[in-house]
Amino acid sequence: MKKIMLSCLAVVLIIEEWLWDALSAFGHSLIRWLNLETVEQWLSQTSPPLALVAFSIPLIIVTPINLVAFGLLAHGLILQGILLELLAKLLGTVLIARVFALTKPQLLTFTFLRVIYTTVTGWLQWAHQKVTETPVYRWSKQFKAEAKARFAAWLN
């Protein structure tokens, strides 16, 4: 049972890693396209209280989308609810990750956030190490590298 659970987690982790790469690239492109480099610069130098407010804004943006998605699900519109929830998760990941990356030093000056961050990071590192030891994860990493190489060769 443990091997099955770790294999399932390995699949989830590799998908998350693939999405993270794509979403990071998309976020950087979006920042350049919207010409928000100065906002990012300001955000990375802001005070801890303003950083906390800035970190809350993506949560405030995504929460109503989540509520609408759950409402769709509750009314039997399963596909629409799932798609909207996926959109909310992707949008939330792009926004929250970017704001956190820019304001991490300021946010970690708050004791409660530092404790949460170090605790969760410790758990994630432990889980990541367990998952990366699985054959499924190693195979998927090899598959990803081969797919990237084939795609690069195809483009050239």
Side-chain angles (χ1 to χ4, degrees):
M1 186 65 154
K2 181 179 173 181
K3 286 184 179 184
I4 292 171
M5 288 298 293
L6 285 173
S7 295
C8 290
L9 287 173
V11 170
V12 169
L13 182 62
I14 197 67
I15 290 170
E16 186 270 335
E17 287 177 357
W18 289 350
L19 282 174
W20 188 263
D21 292 344
L23 289 174
S24 292
F26 174 74
H28 288 291
S29 298
L30 190 60
I31 293 299
R32 282 191 307 274
W33 184 69
L34 295 173
N35 201 18
L36 295 175
E37 290 91 357
T38 55
V39 173
E40 281 195 334
Q41 180 68 25
W42 171 81
L43 197 54
S44 67
Q45 298 173 354
T46 191
S47 67
L50 275 174
L52 188 59
V53 170
F55 185 67
S56 302
I57 291 171
L59 297 171
I60 293 168
I61 291 170
V62 173
T63 300
I65 299 171
N66 286 327
L67 293 174
V68 171
F70 290 133
L72 290 170
L73 290 169
H75 286 91
L77 300 168
I78 305 299
L79 180 61
Q80 294 90 334
I82 290 172
L83 290 174
L84 189 58
E85 184 60 27
L86 284 173
L87 173 70
K89 291 299 178 199
L90 292 173
L91 178 65
T93 300
V94 167
L95 294 174
I96 292 168
R98 191 69 188 143
V99 171
F100 184 76
L102 293 168
T103 60
K104 182 179 171 183
Q106 298 97 309
L107 290 172
L108 294 183
T109 62
F110 295 102
T111 304
F112 74 98
L113 285 177
R114 188 174 54 256
V115 168
I116 292 169
Y117 178 78
T118 55
T119 303
V120 170
T121 301
W123 292 341
L124 290 175
Q125 288 172 344
W126 173 84
H128 190 271
Q129 187 235 337
K130 292 293 181 194
V131 169
T132 57
E133 295 170 354
T134 64
V136 170
Y137 183 84
R138 287 192 304 269
W139 174 84
S140 63
K141 288 295 277 189
Q142 180 182 352
F143 176 78
K144 179 184 175 185
E146 290 171 4
K148 269 185 157 179
R150 285 186 189 140
F151 186 70
W154 181 73
L155 286 176
N156 293 328

Short mmCIF file of all heavy atoms in Angstrom, two decimals, residues 104-138:
data_model
loop_
_atom_site.label_atom_id
_atom_site.label_comp_id
_atom_site.label_asym_id
_atom_site.label_seq_id
_atom_site.Cartn_x
_atom_site.Cartn_y
_atom_site.Cartn_z
N LYS A 104 9.18 37.51 0.25
CA LYS A 104 9.53 36.50 1.25
C LYS A 104 10.36 37.04 2.41
O LYS A 104 10.01 36.78 3.58
CB LYS A 104 10.27 35.34 0.57
CG LYS A 104 10.64 34.22 1.49
CD LYS A 104 11.34 33.12 0.70
CE LYS A 104 11.92 32.07 1.62
NZ LYS A 104 12.66 31.05 0.87
N PRO A 105 11.43 37.81 2.17
CA PRO A 105 12.19 38.32 3.32
C PRO A 105 11.33 39.17 4.28
O PRO A 105 11.45 39.04 5.50
CB PRO A 105 13.30 39.17 2.69
CG PRO A 105 13.42 38.67 1.30
CD PRO A 105 12.05 38.21 0.90
N GLN A 106 10.47 40.01 3.71
CA GLN A 106 9.63 40.85 4.57
C GLN A 106 8.58 40.01 5.30
O GLN A 106 8.30 40.24 6.47
CB GLN A 106 8.90 41.92 3.74
CG GLN A 106 9.81 42.89 3.04
CD GLN A 106 10.06 42.50 1.59
OE1 GLN A 106 10.41 41.37 1.30
NE2 GLN A 106 9.88 43.44 0.68
N LEU A 107 7.99 39.03 4.60
CA LEU A 107 6.95 38.21 5.22
C LEU A 107 7.51 37.35 6.35
O LEU A 107 6.83 37.14 7.36
CB LEU A 107 6.27 37.32 4.18
CG LEU A 107 5.39 38.04 3.16
CD1 LEU A 107 4.93 37.10 2.07
CD2 LEU A 107 4.20 38.71 3.84
N LEU A 108 8.74 36.87 6.19
CA LEU A 108 9.31 36.01 7.22
C LEU A 108 9.78 36.77 8.45
O LEU A 108 10.26 36.17 9.41
CB LEU A 108 10.44 35.17 6.63
CG LEU A 108 9.99 34.14 5.58
CD1 LEU A 108 11.15 33.30 5.11
CD2 LEU A 108 8.85 33.27 6.09
N THR A 109 9.61 38.09 8.46
CA THR A 109 9.88 38.85 9.69
C THR A 109 8.74 38.66 10.69
O THR A 109 8.92 38.93 11.88
CB THR A 109 10.07 40.36 9.41
OG1 THR A 109 8.87 40.90 8.85
CG2 THR A 109 11.26 40.59 8.49
N PHE A 110 7.57 38.21 10.20
CA PHE A 110 6.44 37.91 11.09
C PHE A 110 6.65 36.51 11.67
O PHE A 110 6.79 35.53 10.91
CB PHE A 110 5.11 37.97 10.33
CG PHE A 110 4.76 39.34 9.83
CD1 PHE A 110 4.95 39.67 8.50
CD2 PHE A 110 4.25 40.29 10.69
CE1 PHE A 110 4.62 40.93 8.03
CE2 PHE A 110 3.92 41.57 10.23
CZ PHE A 110 4.11 41.89 8.91
N THR A 111 6.67 36.40 12.98
CA THR A 111 6.97 35.13 13.64
C THR A 111 6.00 34.03 13.20
O THR A 111 6.43 32.92 12.89
CB THR A 111 6.93 35.30 15.17
OG1 THR A 111 7.84 36.33 15.54
CG2 THR A 111 7.28 34.01 15.88
N PHE A 112 4.71 34.31 13.18
CA PHE A 112 3.74 33.28 12.83
C PHE A 112 3.94 32.77 11.41
O PHE A 112 3.83 31.57 11.15
CB PHE A 112 2.29 33.76 13.06
CG PHE A 112 1.78 34.74 12.04
CD1 PHE A 112 0.99 34.31 10.98
CD2 PHE A 112 2.07 36.10 12.15
CE1 PHE A 112 0.50 35.21 10.05
CE2 PHE A 112 1.59 37.00 11.22
CZ PHE A 112 0.81 36.56 10.16
N LEU A 113 4.28 33.64 10.48
CA LEU A 113 4.54 33.20 9.10
C LEU A 113 5.86 32.42 9.00
O LEU A 113 5.94 31.43 8.26
CB LEU A 113 4.56 34.39 8.15
CG LEU A 113 3.20 34.98 7.80
CD1 LEU A 113 3.38 36.20 6.91
CD2 LEU A 113 2.30 33.97 7.13
N ARG A 114 6.86 32.84 9.75
CA ARG A 114 8.14 32.13 9.73
C ARG A 114 7.97 30.72 10.29
O ARG A 114 8.49 29.76 9.74
CB ARG A 114 9.20 32.91 10.51
CG ARG A 114 10.59 32.33 10.37
CD ARG A 114 11.68 33.17 11.03
NE ARG A 114 11.44 33.46 12.45
CZ ARG A 114 11.02 34.63 12.93
NH1 ARG A 114 10.79 35.65 12.13
NH2 ARG A 114 10.82 34.80 14.21
N VAL A 115 7.21 30.57 11.37
CA VAL A 115 6.97 29.24 11.97
C VAL A 115 6.20 28.37 10.99
O VAL A 115 6.56 27.20 10.77
CB VAL A 115 6.22 29.38 13.32
CG1 VAL A 115 5.72 28.04 13.80
CG2 VAL A 115 7.12 30.03 14.36
N ILE A 116 5.15 28.92 10.39
CA ILE A 116 4.37 28.15 9.41
C ILE A 116 5.25 27.76 8.23
O ILE A 116 5.26 26.60 7.79
CB ILE A 116 3.14 28.96 8.94
CG1 ILE A 116 2.13 29.11 10.08
CG2 ILE A 116 2.49 28.30 7.73
CD1 ILE A 116 1.01 30.09 9.79
N TYR A 117 6.02 28.71 7.72
CA TYR A 117 6.87 28.46 6.56
C TYR A 117 7.90 27.37 6.85
O TYR A 117 8.07 26.44 6.07
CB TYR A 117 7.55 29.75 6.12
CG TYR A 117 8.49 29.57 4.96
CD1 TYR A 117 8.00 29.45 3.66
CD2 TYR A 117 9.86 29.49 5.17
CE1 TYR A 117 8.87 29.25 2.59
CE2 TYR A 117 10.73 29.30 4.10
CZ TYR A 117 10.22 29.18 2.81
OH TYR A 117 11.07 28.99 1.76
N THR A 118 8.59 27.47 7.97
CA THR A 118 9.63 26.48 8.27
C THR A 118 9.03 25.11 8.55
O THR A 118 9.59 24.09 8.14
CB THR A 118 10.53 26.92 9.45
OG1 THR A 118 9.71 27.21 10.58
CG2 THR A 118 11.35 28.13 9.09
N THR A 119 7.88 25.06 9.20
CA THR A 119 7.22 23.78 9.47
C THR A 119 6.77 23.12 8.18
O THR A 119 7.08 21.94 7.93
CB THR A 119 6.01 23.99 10.41
OG1 THR A 119 6.45 24.61 11.61
CG2 THR A 119 5.33 22.68 10.72
N VAL A 120 6.06 23.86 7.36
CA VAL A 120 5.56 23.30 6.10
C VAL A 120 6.71 22.93 5.17
O VAL A 120 6.69 21.88 4.53
CB VAL A 120 4.56 24.27 5.42
CG1 VAL A 120 4.21 23.81 4.02
CG2 VAL A 120 3.31 24.41 6.26
N THR A 121 7.73 23.77 5.12
CA THR A 121 8.89 23.47 4.28
C THR A 121 9.57 22.18 4.72
O THR A 121 9.97 21.36 3.89
CB THR A 121 9.89 24.65 4.29
OG1 THR A 121 9.22 25.81 3.81
CG2 THR A 121 11.09 24.37 3.41
N GLY A 122 9.69 21.98 6.01
CA GLY A 122 10.27 20.74 6.53
C GLY A 122 9.46 19.52 6.13
O GLY A 122 10.02 18.51 5.69
N TRP A 123 8.14 19.60 6.27
CA TRP A 123 7.28 18.49 5.86
C TRP A 123 7.41 18.22 4.36
O TRP A 123 7.49 17.07 3.93
CB TRP A 123 5.83 18.78 6.18
CG TRP A 123 5.48 18.83 7.62
CD1 TRP A 123 6.18 18.30 8.68
CD2 TRP A 123 4.33 19.44 8.18
NE1 TRP A 123 5.53 18.55 9.85
CE2 TRP A 123 4.39 19.24 9.59
CE3 TRP A 123 3.24 20.14 7.66
CZ2 TRP A 123 3.41 19.71 10.45
CZ3 TRP A 123 2.26 20.60 8.53
CH2 TRP A 123 2.36 20.40 9.90
N LEU A 124 7.41 19.29 3.58
CA LEU A 124 7.50 19.13 2.12
C LEU A 124 8.84 18.53 1.70
O LEU A 124 8.89 17.70 0.79
CB LEU A 124 7.27 20.46 1.42
CG LEU A 124 5.84 21.01 1.48
CD1 LEU A 124 5.78 22.40 0.86
CD2 LEU A 124 4.86 20.08 0.79
N GLN A 125 9.92 18.94 2.34
CA GLN A 125 11.23 18.38 2.01
C GLN A 125 11.27 16.89 2.34
O GLN A 125 11.79 16.09 1.57
CB GLN A 125 12.34 19.13 2.75
CG GLN A 125 12.59 20.50 2.20
CD GLN A 125 13.55 21.32 3.05
OE1 GLN A 125 13.84 20.99 4.20
NE2 GLN A 125 14.05 22.40 2.47
N TRP A 126 10.71 16.50 3.47
CA TRP A 126 10.66 15.10 3.85
C TRP A 126 9.83 14.30 2.84
O TRP A 126 10.27 13.25 2.36
CB TRP A 126 10.06 14.95 5.26
CG TRP A 126 9.83 13.53 5.65
CD1 TRP A 126 10.73 12.67 6.18
CD2 TRP A 126 8.60 12.81 5.53
NE1 TRP A 126 10.15 11.45 6.39
CE2 TRP A 126 8.84 11.51 6.00
CE3 TRP A 126 7.32 13.14 5.06
CZ2 TRP A 126 7.85 10.53 6.02
CZ3 TRP A 126 6.34 12.16 5.06
CH2 TRP A 126 6.61 10.87 5.54
N ALA A 127 8.64 14.82 2.51
CA ALA A 127 7.77 14.12 1.56
C ALA A 127 8.41 14.06 0.17
O ALA A 127 8.34 13.03 -0.51
CB ALA A 127 6.41 14.82 1.50
N HIS A 128 9.03 15.15 -0.23
CA HIS A 128 9.67 15.20 -1.55
C HIS A 128 10.78 14.15 -1.63
O HIS A 128 10.92 13.45 -2.62
CB HIS A 128 10.22 16.59 -1.82
CG HIS A 128 10.68 16.80 -3.22
ND1 HIS A 128 11.96 16.52 -3.62
CD2 HIS A 128 10.02 17.24 -4.32
CE1 HIS A 128 12.09 16.78 -4.90
NE2 HIS A 128 10.92 17.22 -5.35
N GLN A 129 11.56 14.02 -0.57
CA GLN A 129 12.63 13.03 -0.56
C GLN A 129 12.06 11.62 -0.68
O GLN A 129 12.57 10.80 -1.43
CB GLN A 129 13.47 13.17 0.71
CG GLN A 129 14.70 12.29 0.73
CD GLN A 129 14.76 11.42 1.96
OE1 GLN A 129 14.16 11.71 2.97
NE2 GLN A 129 15.49 10.34 1.87
N LYS A 130 10.98 11.33 0.04
CA LYS A 130 10.36 10.00 -0.03
C LYS A 130 9.83 9.72 -1.44
O LYS A 130 9.99 8.63 -1.98
CB LYS A 130 9.21 9.87 0.98
CG LYS A 130 9.65 9.88 2.40
CD LYS A 130 10.44 8.64 2.72
CE LYS A 130 10.87 8.62 4.16
NZ LYS A 130 11.88 7.62 4.42
N VAL A 131 9.20 10.71 -2.04
CA VAL A 131 8.60 10.52 -3.37
C VAL A 131 9.68 10.38 -4.44
O VAL A 131 9.56 9.55 -5.34
CB VAL A 131 7.63 11.69 -3.70
CG1 VAL A 131 7.22 11.67 -5.14
CG2 VAL A 131 6.40 11.60 -2.79
N THR A 132 10.75 11.17 -4.34
CA THR A 132 11.78 11.11 -5.38
C THR A 132 12.56 9.80 -5.36
O THR A 132 13.27 9.50 -6.32
CB THR A 132 12.77 12.29 -5.26
OG1 THR A 132 13.35 12.29 -3.96
CG2 THR A 132 12.08 13.62 -5.54
N GLU A 133 12.43 9.03 -4.30
CA GLU A 133 13.08 7.72 -4.24
C GLU A 133 12.29 6.64 -4.98
O GLU A 133 12.80 5.54 -5.16
CB GLU A 133 13.26 7.30 -2.78
CG GLU A 133 14.22 8.18 -2.00
CD GLU A 133 14.21 7.90 -0.51
OE1 GLU A 133 13.38 7.09 -0.03
OE2 GLU A 133 15.04 8.50 0.20
N THR A 134 11.08 6.93 -5.42
CA THR A 134 10.25 5.92 -6.07
C THR A 134 10.66 5.71 -7.52
O THR A 134 11.11 6.64 -8.20
CB THR A 134 8.76 6.30 -6.03
OG1 THR A 134 8.57 7.48 -6.80
CG2 THR A 134 8.27 6.51 -4.60
N PRO A 135 10.50 4.49 -8.03
CA PRO A 135 10.80 4.22 -9.44
C PRO A 135 9.93 5.04 -10.40
O PRO A 135 10.41 5.47 -11.45
CB PRO A 135 10.51 2.72 -9.59
CG PRO A 135 10.56 2.16 -8.22
CD PRO A 135 10.16 3.27 -7.29
N VAL A 136 8.69 5.28 -10.02
CA VAL A 136 7.80 6.05 -10.89
C VAL A 136 8.34 7.46 -11.08
O VAL A 136 8.36 8.00 -12.19
CB VAL A 136 6.36 6.10 -10.31
CG1 VAL A 136 5.49 7.08 -11.06
CG2 VAL A 136 5.74 4.72 -10.32
N TYR A 137 8.81 8.07 -10.02
CA TYR A 137 9.34 9.43 -10.11
C TYR A 137 10.60 9.44 -10.97
O TYR A 137 10.77 10.31 -11.83
CB TYR A 137 9.64 9.99 -8.72
CG TYR A 137 10.13 11.42 -8.76
CD1 TYR A 137 9.23 12.47 -8.83
CD2 TYR A 137 11.49 11.71 -8.76
CE1 TYR A 137 9.66 13.79 -8.89
CE2 TYR A 137 11.93 13.02 -8.82
CZ TYR A 137 11.02 14.04 -8.89
OH TYR A 137 11.45 15.34 -8.95
N ARG A 138 11.52 8.51 -10.72
CA ARG A 138 12.75 8.46 -11.51
C ARG A 138 12.44 8.25 -12.99
O ARG A 138 13.03 8.89 -13.86
CB ARG A 138 13.68 7.37 -10.98
CG ARG A 138 14.32 7.76 -9.65
CD ARG A 138 15.46 6.83 -9.27
NE ARG A 138 15.08 5.43 -9.21
CZ ARG A 138 14.64 4.80 -8.12
NH1 ARG A 138 14.52 5.47 -6.99
NH2 ARG A 138 14.32 3.54 -8.15
#
